[in-house]
Amino acid sequence: AMRVERYHGCPQEAMWVRQTVFVEEQGFRDEFDQIDNRAEHFVLFDKEKPIAVCRVFESEKSKIYILGRLAVLKAYRGKGIGRFLVAQAETYLREIGAKELHLHSQCRASQFYSRIGFTEYGDVEPEEGCPHIWMKKTL
């Protein structure tokens, strides 16, 4: 049975998934930051095992939130889990009155976000050498 839990801050379970995917698999170094302390983290569990994570936090502009650090363990990819987790985060954000959701997508993931309603804007920029693009969605 799968379940989603929401945490204020970054629990060990979220750190473990992010470390596994972004640091060990993809080679990013600057994975954890000050935002982790104030972000809401959504963690998807398969029984007791954390298998996917994302975080959301309010931007400088009121009611505009940023989604990031969406990671799904390799064995669980291609099953709609990322889409499901983003939908859970969006439900929470609508409940608290958020109007827009933005994200800085790896360019290789931008089609995934396009399919779930995000639109690209701005220029492609490197982040730790990996090209990223800003995307947004109206809630």
Side-chain angles (χ1 to χ4, degrees), residues 49-83:
K49 182 184 183 181
I51 61 167
V53 64
C54 70
R55 73 176 185 186
V56 297
F57 59 95
E58 196 166 21
S59 70
E60 300 84 66
K61 299 194 184 94
S62 175
K63 299 192 186 304
I64 296 180
Y65 281 73
I66 312 281
L67 179 132
R69 305 303 205 265
L70 174 65
V72 179
L73 294 183
K74 207 169 204 167
Y76 291 88
R77 286 179 205 154
K79 303 178 194 302
I81 283 172
R83 171 189 295 250

Side-chain angles (χ1 to χ4, degrees), residues 28 30 69 104-106 125-132 134:
F28 289 96
D30 303 330
R69 305 303 205 265
H104 206 209
S105 171
Q106 293 182 19
E125 305 157 327
E127 210 172 273
E128 286 199 48
C130 174
H132 281 64
W134 280 100

